[in-house]
Amino acid sequence: MAQHFSLAACDVVGFDMDHTLCRYNLPESALLIYNSFAQFLVKEKGYDKELLTVTPEDWDFCCKGLALDLEDGNFIKLADNGTVLRASHGTKMMPPEALAEAYGQKEWKHFMSDTGMACRSGKYYFYDNYFDLPGALLCARVVDSLTKQNNGQKTFDFWKDIVAGIQHNYKMSAFKENCGIYFPEIKRDPGRYLHTCPESVKKWLQQLKNAGKILLLITSSHSDYCRLLCEYILGNDFTDLFDIVITNALKPGFFSHLPSQRPFWTLEKDEEQEALPSLDKPGWYSQGNAVHLYELLKKMTGRNEPKVVYFGDSMHSDIFPARHYSNWETVLILEELRGDRDGKPEESEPLEKKGKYEGPKAKPLNTLSKKWGSFFIDSVSGLENTEDSLVYTWSCKRISTYSTIAIPSLEAIAELPLDYKFLRFSSSNSKTAGYYPNPPLILSNNETLTTK
């Protein structure tokens, strides 16, 4: 494999929308997502009203890459070899002795050595992105509440109520019907929750188009929500930038399912109209699959194997499936890289917004959790009289396995020439090679980590 990656060599440039093209004001959006679920659980399902009160300190629990064991209510953080590095029952962290007793040094029972293992299953749930993370805090607090009410309850059956909360707040018709809490609030005050696209990124998108690249937008959000976001962050003429827009893409199934399982649908006034046997021309579609999309890209580029790069923030929905099933180049948007160099999170909102909104603030979800430690590495206790050793996390291993490069935001590369040569992740490069503009400081300082 080549040592370097360049956008100039790509025929097609695709983007996810949420947390990729559209950056959110994380402290505000986290609180909104949390409330959308908490209100539903309390009002519709009879859960403890304590869930409605969340303090700024509570948000330290949130950390990408955690798995929730749906049966026992434990959250775990995995090493790259599948052993458990840290665990909590609800929000209560397990001390070393309890951790050793529960998990020992053996592989977690649901782990599969392929780092692309499912993130969704009836037995566990991986928290992979910033839409998920407020749900991790809520589920942990639900476990706390049920454990307290039922004198140390050992098994849990609350997940069906979380799924009902997702259905209520985020179903396909929720935006149109003004249903739930989330969509009505985003519509009411988008500026509170969304960052507009920087001018540098808008110019860069136009530059890609001018260079003859085909631009794609592929999002699992529905068309009405996608339109609201894109008009707010890019302007009313945003459709001029993209050759193909695919909404309700139902990723990762968009990449992994057969065309017969996931046809494209035409859209009219945000309603799906007609299933298509193939994709014949550019435009705005719903659902679909990567195989039929690639056939259209061949026609549009006149190439047998057009080279596609896809930008996304979710390892589960974007990066792993685009690489594994479609063999596309992948660029991971990793906001954990923001502000990492000086130990301070990047300013989470513009100065003019400071103090504008009342209420408890979530810490920015891209900052370090004191409870869970680094997203990238962690320590494993040594035997008696031996030093602790540092190991890569499972999340970190997946980044270097499935991403071409990882960047903190589109803005980080928008002013580079299109033929800029990025050093890519590969087995022949160092573990930190693919991070741009800099690797996480904690990885730079520990280049020679144990790989277990």
Side-chain angles (χ1 to χ4, degrees), residues 401-451:
T401 306
Y402 296 110
S403 314
T404 303
I405 60 171
I407 60 177
S409 65
L410 296 178
E411 202 175 352
I413 64 168
E415 292 179 346
L416 297 173
L418 295 186
D419 60 359
Y420 182 88
K421 289 185 165 50
F422 296 93
L423 201 55
R424 62 162 72 233
F425 288 114
S426 77
S427 53
S428 56
N429 288 336
S430 83
K431 285 275 190 185
T432 58
Y435 294 102
Y436 181 89
N438 296 297
L441 200 55
I442 196 162
L443 288 186
S444 302
N445 294 342
N446 295 282
E447 275 274 21
T448 54
L449 285 192
T450 309
T451 302

Side-chain angles (χ1 to χ4, degrees), residues 150-197:
N150 299 301
N151 299 321
Q153 181 173 336
K154 293 284 191 288
T155 58
F156 299 86
D157 188 27
F158 61 86
W159 190 251
K160 64 184 185 305
D161 296 329
I162 299 291
V163 172
I166 294 171
Q167 284 295 323
H168 175 69
N169 280 288
Y170 302 100
K171 63 186 177 184
M172 195 166 180
S173 59
F175 185 95
K176 190 175 181 180
E177 294 168 5
N178 248 18
C179 176
I181 288 174
Y182 183 82
F183 290 126
E185 181 58 20
I186 296 276
K187 282 197 258 189
R188 187 187 70 77
D189 191 1
R192 180 170 185 164
Y193 302 102
L194 310 173
H195 293 303
T196 53
C197 232

Side-chain angles (χ1 to χ4, degrees), residues 232-251:
Y232 182 80
I233 67 166
L234 289 168
N236 292 341
D237 58 351
F238 76 92
T239 50
D240 295 345
L241 285 169
F242 299 101
D243 298 279
I244 301 169
V245 177
I246 300 164
T247 50
N248 193 27
L250 303 169
K251 297 176 292 180

